[in-house]
Amino acid sequence: MISRILIAACTFAGSALAFWIAARLRGDSRQSRNWPTVSGTVVTRGIETMQTEARSFTPTVKYSYTVGDRQYVGQQVYRTGRVGSLSRPAQRLVDGLPESIPVHYNPRNPGEAFLLANPRRLFWIAAVFGAGAFLFGLLQVLTLAVG
């Protein structure tokens, strides 16, 4: 019985974390949706491993852009930061970026910039995981109440 209570509590905590991540992704997307863009230039591009086992890769891009009369250098590809994928898709993404690329920048802090919007799949993965974990935790609580 104690183990089911612990499993339910951990599952609800995981669900809450997943829903928080989904809300954060959605909020970041909404906040930066109307940020202005300027033309930037790709300086370097490549991919790097996100794990020691080299199973997940993230694009690495360094780009320069100018807002007003000040030049900036950015490295953030996606709005929320690093996003992992397999080696080939990450390399295709990097290779497909043009030399001259639109850079989205924060009008209140032009040093904060990114190239691409977050992949929508990240929001949906977090939301579905949160819903699944919540339902599993609820099932654990219901089996405690019945049994």
Side-chain angles (χ1 to χ4, degrees):
M1 179 156 125
I2 300 258
S3 64
R4 283 195 183 210
I5 292 172
L6 185 60
I7 289 171
C10 289
T11 305
F12 283 133
S15 173
L17 178 63
F19 283 134
W20 178 81
I21 290 170
R24 174 81 190 258
L25 289 168
R26 176 77 90 196
D28 282 351
S29 178
R30 283 188 180 147
Q31 176 189 11
S32 60
R33 182 178 300 147
N34 296 319
W35 282 6
T37 59
V38 294
S39 182
T41 304
V42 173
V43 177
T44 62
R45 65 178 80 211
I47 62 172
E48 67 182 27
T49 59
M50 290 185 72
Q51 302 169 338
T52 56
E53 296 88 27
R55 294 183 188 166
S56 183
F57 297 83
T58 189
T60 58
V61 178
K62 190 177 205 179
Y63 50 91
S64 65
Y65 61 101
T66 304
V67 176
D69 57 353
R70 186 160 178 209
Q71 186 169 9
Y72 297 91
V73 175
Q75 295 182 339
Q76 191 158 330
V77 176
Y78 292 104
R79 170 67 174 106
T80 57
R82 296 168 45 133
V83 174
S85 68
L86 297 175
S87 176
R88 284 188 190 142
Q91 190 65 55
R92 268 196 311 267
L93 181 132
V94 168
D95 291 344
L97 294 174
E99 292 298 317
S100 178
I101 190 164
V103 177
H104 304 264
Y105 70 93
N106 184 343
R108 294 186 182 128
N109 177 14
E112 181 183 356
F114 67 95
L115 299 178
L116 305 171
N118 297 330
R120 290 182 188 253
R121 72 177 184 269
L122 296 178
F123 166 78
W124 287 108
I125 288 170
V128 167
F129 180 80
F134 181 81
L135 291 174
F136 183 75
L138 191 59
L139 180 66
Q140 294 299 310
V141 170
L142 290 174
T143 57
L144 278 172
V146 171

